[in-house]
Amino acid sequence: MAQRRQRARVQGGWASAPAAKPAGTAASKGPVASNLCPAGTTPAWLRKGQPCSQKHFVFEKPSEVERRVPETGVIDKPGVYELSKAPTGISRVHLVPGFIDSQQADWIFEQLLQDIPWGQRAHIRQGVSFEEPRLTCWYGELPYTYSRITMQPNPNWHPVLNMLKERIELFSGYTFNSLLCNLYRDEKDSVDWHSDHEPSLGTNPVIASLSFGATRNFEMRKKPSQEENGDYRFVERLRIPLDHGTLLMMEGATQEDWQHRVPKEYHSRAARINLTFRIIYPEPDGVWK
Ligand SMILES: O=C(O)CCC(=O)C(=O)O
């Protein structure tokens, strides 16, 4: 992909040579008082001594240095990737394509598509209500609040979800108690930039994300430093295509230092299910507000 770049404006302009000072002024005592270009300012293409009736370019230092937009990195091979070490700590993802083999994944996808009680939630932003561009369902003993939506506790785990949770626990060594399911019905469904950093997830949350169905791009961008004042133009970016049966683990400072999204696609896409297993901690009084 061609690299986009932010060009600095080169400041300067076409200027006339300084006009000769009238006789009788202090400057007129100098060696030359004429409309010839002053020594040192004569452009190369003007013959020495040629009247300086033409304008020439006066260069001024650029006000900002050229900054390149870093190229988006792609993670599409199995492995553990350290994304960054700062500011909060190590951010790490672990990509496991084929965690569920494709035949099993086909069957699981169909079961979940049919059996999960999918629903469309609405957000209220600045007094305006709008529906999320995807369907969701929450499982867990505790409620989950994100973007001012509260998903009520739902302890009725589907047996297929229980089986998947156990497989991921065996693989990762973590014990998950909650699950947010997302159904992207087609290319128009998406989730916007966000981090999974709600207080109920604790510090350095571990998220295990399992995908079924159509491949969609999971995009990540590093949060800008304080000096950048929320400007994301020059931050590091990553693209991770998540396909049928792929597991992606996010760990360490990933939620603190990075954001992620699944953008809409321009070309048609079939349905995709994403399961994000999480660990939710109860508040001391047992209720998350
Ligand atoms: O669908 C995905 O891969 C990501 C879902 C997600 O970002 C979330 O549930 O917080």
Side-chain angles (χ1 to χ4, degrees):
M1 188 170 62
Q3 218 174 34
R4 284 181 293 148
R5 54 174 65 178
Q6 172 83 3
R7 289 194 183 282
R9 264 178 297 142
V10 174
Q11 301 202 322
W14 293 96
S16 304
K21 295 264 167 42
T25 62
S28 70
K29 290 184 189 127
V32 185
S34 72
N35 67 341
L36 296 180
C37 291
T41 67
T42 311
W45 43 268
L46 275 182
R47 259 186 297 122
K48 198 173 171 227
Q50 182 178 324
C52 195
S53 56
Q54 297 175 55
K55 292 178 172 180
H56 60 277
F57 192 81
V58 178
F59 178 79
E60 287 168 27
K61 261 173 89 179
S63 59
E64 40 176 311
V65 178
E66 182 177 283
R67 283 185 79 181
R68 280 160 191 255
V69 173
E71 212 152 300
T72 301
V74 178
I75 294 182
D76 57 2
K77 305 274 181 304
V80 177
Y81 296 83
E82 212 170 81
L83 308 183
S84 56
K85 290 194 162 126
T88 311
I90 294 175
S91 296
R92 197 183 297 110
V93 297
H94 186 176
L95 183 68
V96 192
F99 180 75
I100 305 289
D101 77 52
S102 81
Q103 269 193 343
Q104 281 185 34
D106 290 348
W107 181 82
I108 291 168
F109 177 74
E110 291 305 327
Q111 299 295 308
L112 299 180
L113 195 59
Q114 276 180 51
D115 294 353
I116 288 185
W118 298 106
Q120 190 165 23
R121 268 92 203 156
H123 288 263
I124 296 177
R125 204 176 282 168
Q126 292 166 344
V128 181
S129 163
F130 66 93
E131 292 189 320
E132 284 186 326
R134 64 190 177 283
L135 306 185
T136 55
C137 182
W138 175 249
Y139 289 89
E141 306 283 336
L142 294 164
Y144 183 52
T145 299
Y146 69 95
S147 300
R148 284 185 260 153
I149 292 181
T150 297
M151 313 281 281
Q152 294 307 323
N154 173 16
N156 310 311
W157 288 76
H158 188 287
V160 170
L161 295 176
N162 260 326
M163 176 272 286
L164 292 172
K165 183 167 103 64
E166 279 168 24
R167 264 169 93 158
I168 293 174
E169 287 175 347
L170 211 59
F171 171 80
S172 67
Y174 294 104
T175 304
F176 298 94
N177 62 5
S178 309
L179 167 65
L180 179 61
C181 308
N182 291 296
L183 170 60
Y184 302 84
R185 293 159 293 182
D186 58 26
E187 65 284 354
K188 294 192 277 304
D189 275 357
S190 61
V191 62
D192 207 355
W193 288 117
H194 69 284
S195 302
D196 298 328
H197 61 171
E198 289 72 27
S200 61
L201 292 165
T203 47
N204 288 353
V206 177
I207 312 268
S209 157
L210 188 56
S211 296
F212 297 97
T215 304
R216 294 288 292 263
N217 285 319
F218 182 81
E219 296 185 350
M220 301 188 75
R221 65 178 183 183
K222 181 106 195 279
K223 294 184 189 172
S225 64
Q226 239 175 358
E227 300 85 71
E228 302 282 344
N229 276 322
D231 182 354
Y232 276 86
R233 280 178 303 164
F234 303 105
V235 299
E236 281 171 70
R237 286 167 191 267
L238 292 168
R239 183 167 58 80
I240 310 178
L242 293 181
D243 62 6
H244 201 37
T246 291
L247 175 69
L248 178 74
M249 303 277 307
M250 294 187 269
E251 295 173 288
T254 307
Q255 304 305 324
E256 202 56 47
D257 292 349
W258 292 74
Q259 287 189 330
H260 57 265
R261 71 168 179 176
V262 175
K264 295 182 197 309
E265 297 282 346
Y266 294 107
H267 300 289
S268 79
R269 292 284 183 280
R272 166 182 185 255
I273 291 173
N274 174 258
L275 310 174
T276 50
F277 293 88
R278 297 150 191 252
I279 305 165
I280 299 285
Y281 297 96
E283 236 196 349
D285 66 4
V287 184
W288 279 100
K289 284 132 201 150

